[in-house]
Every structure is written in structure tokens, then in C-alpha cells.
Amino acid sequence: MISGIFGILVAMLVVPATAGAAPSTPSGGASAAGWAASHDGKQPYAGVAVTWDVPIRMSDGTVLRANVYRPANGAGRATTKRNPVIVNMTPYTKLITAVGAAVTQHPVLEPLLRQLVTAVNQVATPIRDFADISQLTNTLRDGGAKTFMVDLDLVRSGYTQVVVDVRGTGFSQGKWDVFQSREQADTTEVIDWAARQRWSNGKVGMSGVSYSAINQIQAANKNPKALKAIFPVEPGGDLIRDIVAPGGALGAGFLPLWLTLVNTTKMVPNVASMLNGTFDWKWLADRISDPLTFYPQLLAALVTPDIKSVPPQLDELLTDNSEPRKAWQDKAERITTPTLIYGGWFDLFTNSEVRMYNKIPLPPGQKQLIMGDGYHLTIGGGQQGRRGTPPRLDVLQKAWFDKWLKGIDNQVDSYGPVNLKQVGDQWISAQQFPRAGMSRQRLYLGDRRSGTAPYAVRDGSLTTGTPATRGRMTVSPGLLTLCSRDSAQQTAGALALFPFCAEDARIPERSALTFTTAPMRTTRSVSGYTNLHLNTVMDATDGYWTATLNDVAPDGTSKVISSGQVMASLRGYDRSRSQFAPNGDVIDPFYNLTLASRQPVTPGAPVGVDIGLLPTEALIKPGHRLRVDVFAMNVPRGLPLRPLLNESQLKPQHIQLDPQRPSFVNLPLSTPLP
């Protein structure tokens, strides 16, 4: 351990962030042109040889199945040369990976597919205000899809790629362990296996999106000797706070569909083995014994009537230091493997992506962060590979592996180290996130009408001074958030097809309290974490508070740039893991989210609630305004766990206006408001 820390300190001194001819823009400059040429140009190998369903036996006897893609000549004969290996661990069955790669990268089909995508986008332009199909199709153009599947150009350039069905999914034996300790052990054992094969030179990298990005982080925090680089696209680092129970409310828009997807695809049998007489009966027995992984916990969260009736399988998710709670922590502070994290301001895992980057104890360059403003399914989102934008993801991935697995001095370690898409504006490069130079400022919530949201439940104001008025502003639970950016975010981008929901909050604001500033006289940036402190009163022992930070254009369009939520009884946070402003305000509360730490509300009594909003990077232009929306419900982003929903009784909730106990938002601004 001491020697590892010493090595990191030496690296920070010897390999500064400006090593080489540093690309100075998000596009990467001349260096990035070389990365694109290296990926898209003629490769050393003409073909790819695939070995299907290779068995890999784990230490407990369970057999995982892998497809191995190796560089080959034009006749399909695999090279005898030892090459670096890229490992991808997937729960979505490697069959999907294989079919997707074959279709999207076929020498004839790929150009046709690109033409089809372009044609669809052009045809859809007239209806883009109603249905923006490009949200999904652009991920093919930006290379994001190749990071999910197998990049055959990467293989032809001299890499072997190993795609493995994780335990209990695809064609692998066992019970699906959902990121827990046995599955994590499998990943490190697969890395060791890959390093020892006759076609491997002993150097291993990892790639993949979402689930296949999370297990990269989990592997890297154990620092296996053979693992030399990871390229996690949209990784999570704290599954309870990211998607299971953000703010203490069930992630109802994502979890049921996701669990159904994996539990369904894991039942698809290996048809080829059935035809040739090699069918794996152990596989079938394992599936029969555990057909609906995690459904008991999901159903318990939806139907358990009260706290005392919470069953053990749900209780362990709401107990600190339980097996899943410990396993689902990223432990990024232990990572010494070069890591490039790609995420997004409206990804499912925004909560963790920036946090993990900042925790990794590596110098800039050896760790890098790219944050777009797309959604989980819109990888790249039409924002890359063009002038002023980062290179395509498949290009960046190859450059990253070339540097750390092949030792090619391509200056990718001088890229960034942080590239950020400002919400609604352009890409910028920075040395850190939050960016340096931000000032923390309180803006106070008041009941003076701004005149900008007459349709809201109440149209209030945001001011730099504490309002002198006293009174109460009331909001009731509603369902208009079904059409919102939070809804689009929680459904992984599916609802982003409808810009009138995802790009404009005026529909859900009809069930919200709104608080809006005067117009900006000069351009300002928002960079970092925002916290909303409310002086609340509730009519029940619990309530659900959600909030958004919005950029309001002169034409009235209200675009959400960040959001957050918390159950009132779970408002307690760990001070040692939270962040605070210089004046003592909490700006990034790390909620405990345990039954043991619950603080039921006394009906009718004022109680302070802090709502931590997700980190963001946004540009607020002259004439635009900042707005805070406050809701008492946020379906489908969050649905209160049934016991807490019952305690809330869905009663109205109140913000108590009191100059002695003001409600305010603490913002990171490039220039404070006058």
C-alpha cells in the first residue's frame, strides 16, 4: 500500500498534465486528427477471427462464456502474435453484442446504415419540435455504439477483445449477482485469465457502457496487476444514490424496465448447443432457481405498508454496511489504473461520474473526464466528432488504449483533462471540475411575483437579499412531472424524443412553486454543485421534496439544467462525506439513506430540508434568468418507498416564509448577481 502511494506521488511529479504537445481545445487539435486517422485508416490486419462461447471456469467452479475476437488475415486466420486484450463484461448477453457489431460494422451494411441515419434525421427535421429521433440515431454517428459493442476496427488494429456474459446472464452459469462481491471476483479472475492466454501479451484493458463501465471501476479499485487502462462510458459509482433510491425514493422509471430486460434476456438459451448436443444443463438449472433476480426487493419497495413490515431483502438495501451497500460503492480512491470517464449531465449516473473522477488519486492526464449533456441511451448524442467538439468515442477509446497498452506516444494523456459540454451551449476544456473561479452565492426564495410563470402553482422570485415577508407557499403532489427532463433522464433518454417535455419545463411547472431571478445583464457560468435549503412545514410525518434549477430564455422556455430530490424523513446526511461552502452551507449533501437514520417529521412544525442538486456546467446568457422549481412529487424519477408514501398520505407540503429562517439556493456562479 505504501509503495503504491509513493508510486502515485512520483507519477504526479514526473508526468505533469501538460506532458507532450497538449491539445488546447475539446477537439484535441492536431493530435486528435492523428487519433482519427489511426482508427479509421488502413489497419495492420485485414480480418477478425471469432471463437464463440469459450468457457472460463471461476474459482468456485462456475463456468462463464466468452466470445474472443482476434486480429486475423483476409482469410480469417487469427494471428499468432501476442496482443493486448480488451475485456468487456456484459449482462445483456454477448449475443446482442455480436449481432450489433455484425450489422453496424459490416463493410456493406455500415455505409447504408449511416445513410439511413442521415436520411431519417433529415426527414425528421420538420417534426423535431415534437419528436427528435436524432436523440437516438446520433449515437451511431458519434461512435458511442461501438464502445457498447465490439469495435472491429480496434481488433484489426492489433487488439484481442473478450466479451463475457457475467454470472447468471447470457450463456454463463450461476445466479446473477448484480455487482456484488462474487461478480466482482469473477471480473478480476477473467482479467487474470485473459492475461495468461497464448494470444495475450499480458496487458489488459477494459471497455464498455453502463453496466460494463461500472464493473470496470469495480475491477480497477482492486488494482489487478494485468489491468493497464480502463475506458468506462457512463459508469455508476453508488447504485443506491444513483438509480435504486435517489434521495430515498425508488427509481421507478428505470429499475422495473431494466430488471425485466436482464431477467428476460438471461433466459435466452444457446440454440447452437441445443442443435449440436452440448447444451449446458447446469445453465438451465441455475436459471430455474433464480428466474427473477431482484424482483422481490422491487415488489417489497412497492407494496410493504409500513416500516415494521419491511422484509429482510429490502432492509439490507436500507442498512449501512450491508453486502450490497458496500459492494455498490466505487472505492475510486483506490484506483491507480489510467482511467477516462465519459458521462453526461442528464445521464443516470451523473451523481457519481464527477465524484469518481475527483476521487481517483492519479495526476490529470492519467485520469480524464468528459461530460456531455445527453442521456444514458444517447451515447455521444450527436455532439462529437465535429469542429469544436471532442473526437468520436471509438476514436478516443483506441487512442487511450494505444497509449496505455501499447506505449504509443500519441499525446492523449495531454488531452483535457476535463472536457465539458455547457448545457445548451458549446464544449469547453478545463483543468478541473467544478471549474476554478466560481463564487458561491445565496439567492433567497420569496413570494413576490416575478411575472414569468403565471401558470405555476405560485410564481415567486429569487433575490440576493432576504425577503421580509412572512407566509406560506403550498404545493401538492402531482403527475405532470411525467412530461419533464427528469422523466427523460430516468427513462435513460427515451422521453427525450419529445422535446416539449425534455427541453421545456413549462408543462410540469404547472404543478410547481417557481422562483425566478431578474434577467441577467451579462453572461454567467454555473459550474459545480447546487443545494436548495427549504424551511418546510408538512401536514404528515413524511413528504417528498424535489427541485430543479432552470435556465429561462426571454421567450419563456424553461430548460432544466440540474435537479435533485429527498424524502423529508431521510434528509439526514453524513457531514464527513458532504461538501460545504465557505460560509458553512452544505452544497453537496451525502444522504445517509438508511432506516436507522430516519427522522420522521412532526406535522405542523418547521423543519429544514436540504435538497442536493446534481452537478452541472451551464452558460446563462444575457436576458436569460435562473429559476428554481419546487415539487412535491417527481414520478417517474422517484416514487417514495411504499412505507414512506403511506406516511406522507400525499398531503400538501409547505414552504414557510420567515426572514429568521429563510429558504435559499446556494449556487456556484462565475460572477455573483448584484
Side-chain angles (χ1 to χ4, degrees):
M1 179 67 179
I2 293 175
S3 62
I5 295 174
F6 178 75
I8 294 170
L9 293 174
V10 170
M12 294 177 71
L13 294 173
V14 175
V15 187
T18 56
S24 58
T25 68
S27 66
S31 297
W35 307 336
S38 175
H39 181 279
D40 298 341
K42 185 177 180 180
Q43 300 299 345
Y45 299 93
V48 174
V50 187
T51 306
W52 307 102
D53 297 319
V54 176
I56 309 175
R57 187 172 296 277
M58 299 293 99
S59 57
D60 67 348
T62 300
V63 174
L64 308 187
R65 298 283 177 178
N67 290 343
V68 178
Y69 298 78
R70 296 171 59 196
N73 61 20
R77 185 185 299 277
T79 180
T80 58
K81 182 180 178 181
R82 294 174 179 265
N83 290 298
V85 182
I86 309 299
V87 170
N88 180 304
M89 306 286 294
T90 180
Y92 303 118
T93 173
K94 62 187 186 308
L95 180 62
I96 293 177
T97 299
V99 172
V103 172
T104 61
Q105 299 175 60
H106 189 277
V108 175
L109 294 179
E110 182 178 13
L112 293 176
L113 187 60
R114 289 185 179 274
Q115 292 177 21
L116 177 62
V117 167
T118 300
V120 167
N121 287 346
Q122 291 174 346
V123 170
T125 298
I127 63 168
R128 186 156 292 170
D129 289 340
F130 177 78
D132 188 1
I133 301 173
S134 68
Q135 289 280 348
L136 296 178
T137 56
N138 280 338
T139 189
L140 293 172
R141 186 182 67 186
D142 292 354
K146 287 186 178 180
T147 64
F148 175 81
M149 299 177 289
V150 175
D151 184 351
L152 300 181
D153 287 324
L154 180 67
V155 176
R156 284 189 284 262
S157 74
Y159 290 91
T160 293
Q161 184 148 5
V162 177
V163 182
V164 186
D165 289 327
V166 300
R167 172 183 298 255
T169 71
F171 299 161
S172 291
Q173 297 175 353
K175 297 181 180 180
W176 185 27
D177 199 39
V178 197
F179 297 117
Q180 296 182 73
S181 56
R182 181 59 252 188
E183 183 178 298
Q184 294 185 39
D186 289 346
T187 303
T188 57
E189 290 179 23
V190 167
I191 291 170
D192 178 66
W193 174 87
R196 291 185 288 104
Q197 299 308 298
R198 57 180 175 79
W199 30 258
S200 170
N201 69 357
K203 295 181 179 181
V204 178
M206 292 189 73
S207 69
V209 178
S210 188
Y211 199 108
S212 302
I214 296 169
N215 56 39
Q216 291 180 58
I217 297 291
Q218 293 178 331
N221 70 35
K222 297 169 185 59
N223 294 295
K225 183 178 179 181
L227 187 62
K228 303 301 181 183
I230 61 173
F231 194 89
V233 175
E234 300 175 341
D238 186 338
L239 301 190
I240 288 290
R241 293 171 178 83
D242 290 343
I243 57 172
V244 176
L250 181 70
F254 176 73
L255 282 179
L257 293 176
W258 176 66
L259 288 172
T260 299
L261 169 66
V262 180
N263 278 304
T264 300
T265 56
K266 77 180 188 183
M267 304 301 290
V268 177
N270 186 338
V271 176
S273 70
M274 298 170 68
L275 296 175
N276 63 24
T278 62
F279 183 72
D280 187 348
W281 294 101
K282 174 70 166 55
W283 174 93
L284 181 60
D286 289 338
R287 294 301 185 273
I288 293 173
S289 68
D290 184 34
L292 297 172
T293 306
F294 250 81
Y295 264 87
Q297 292 91 325
L298 176 63
L299 292 175
L302 293 172
V303 304
T304 302
D306 49 48
I307 296 296
K308 67 176 183 292
S309 303
V310 170
Q313 64 265 38
L314 178 59
D315 182 70
E316 72 171 354
L317 298 183
L318 301 171
T319 301
D320 208 15
N321 294 320
S322 64
E323 157 63 10
R325 289 286 287 257
K326 289 188 295 183
W328 291 348
Q329 295 293 315
D330 56 72
K331 303 179 180 66
E333 66 277 3
R334 302 178 184 177
I335 293 176
T336 60
T337 303
T339 302
L340 193 156
I341 294 174
Y342 178 92
W345 303 125
F346 305 108
D347 182 33
L348 289 168
F349 301 111
T350 308
N351 170 64
S352 289
E353 287 155 351
V354 168
R355 199 183 305 273
M356 286 189 292
Y357 171 80
N358 286 330
K359 287 197 299 182
I360 294 174
L362 288 172
Q366 290 185 33
K367 66 172 183 177
Q368 296 191 16
L369 175 70
I370 301 174
M371 294 293 288
D373 68 353
Y375 299 90
H376 197 66
L377 289 177
T378 58
I379 311 164
Q383 303 168 353
Q384 296 184 221
R386 301 195 302 271
R387 185 173 182 177
T389 72
R392 299 193 326 257
L393 276 176
D394 53 348
V395 168
L396 273 171
Q397 178 176 255
K398 181 179 184 299
W400 192 249
F401 290 142
D402 281 351
K403 169 65 182 180
W404 302 112
L405 273 66
K406 291 187 175 181
I408 298 174
D409 185 15
N410 57 12
Q411 299 164 7
V412 72
D413 53 326
S414 298
Y415 184 57
V418 173
N419 286 288
L420 310 168
K421 177 68 161 58
Q422 293 188 303
V423 178
D425 204 72
Q426 63 186 357
W427 283 90
I428 60 173
S429 291
Q431 292 300 306
Q432 63 187 55
F433 183 85
R435 287 192 294 122
M438 298 297 128
S439 299
R440 305 296 317 190
Q441 184 176 22
R442 280 186 179 186
L443 299 180
Y444 294 90
L445 281 61
D447 60 355
R448 180 175 57 84
R449 295 184 183 277
S450 73
T452 61
Y455 49 82
V457 175
R458 287 288 297 275
D459 169 27
S461 59
L462 274 182
T463 60
T464 57
T466 307
T469 56
R470 296 176 182 270
R472 183 173 288 187
M473 301 178 74
T474 300
V475 62
S476 298
L479 295 176
L480 290 181
T481 52
L482 286 166
C483 180
S484 67
R485 173 156 256 178
D486 264 11
S487 183
Q489 185 168 3
Q490 184 66 13
T491 57
L495 287 179
L497 291 172
F498 306 106
F500 59 87
C501 287
E503 299 294 324
D504 193 345
R506 283 180 287 185
I507 290 177
E509 282 175 347
R510 294 178 182 275
S511 63
L513 304 174
T514 68
F515 304 88
T516 312
T517 67
M520 300 290 152
R521 296 181 179 178
T522 58
T523 298
R524 284 172 171 81
S525 293
V526 179
S527 181
Y529 292 89
T530 296
N531 183 75
L532 177 63
H533 177 80
L534 297 180
N535 182 34
T536 73
V537 172
M538 277 159 276
D539 297 336
T541 56
D542 212 341
Y544 183 31
W545 291 100
T546 72
T548 62
L549 178 65
N550 300 12
D551 173 4
V552 182
D555 67 359
T557 301
S558 180
K559 178 177 291 187
V560 172
I561 60 177
S562 183
S563 65
Q565 56 276 313
V566 68
M567 293 300 303
S569 66
L570 296 175
R571 64 192 180 277
Y573 55 85
D574 183 342
R575 293 188 63 86
S576 68
R577 303 180 71 178
S578 301
Q579 298 183 50
F580 296 85
N583 69 350
D585 290 348
V586 64
I587 56 176
D588 179 25
F590 190 91
Y591 300 119
N592 294 308
L593 302 186
T594 64
L595 293 180
S597 65
R598 284 185 70 242
Q599 304 172 60
V601 175
T602 300
V607 59
V609 175
D610 286 289
I611 307 174
L613 275 60
L614 295 172
T616 192
E617 176 70 40
L619 194 71
I620 313 301
K621 299 177 181 178
H624 288 232
R625 304 168 186 253
L626 282 171
R627 173 179 292 166
V628 168
D629 291 338
V630 180
F631 303 84
M633 186 57 70
N634 200 15
V635 176
R637 179 66 180 272
L639 178 67
L641 303 176
R642 181 62 181 275
L644 308 185
L645 183 67
N646 287 353
E647 289 196 13
S648 77
Q649 301 178 56
L650 293 176
K651 288 188 174 182
Q653 301 172 190
H654 318 282
I655 297 177
Q656 188 71 34
L657 299 178
D658 182 347
Q660 302 304 312
R661 302 180 65 178
S663 296
F664 57 86
V665 60
N666 190 305
L667 288 161
L669 295 170
S670 57
T671 305
L673 296 179

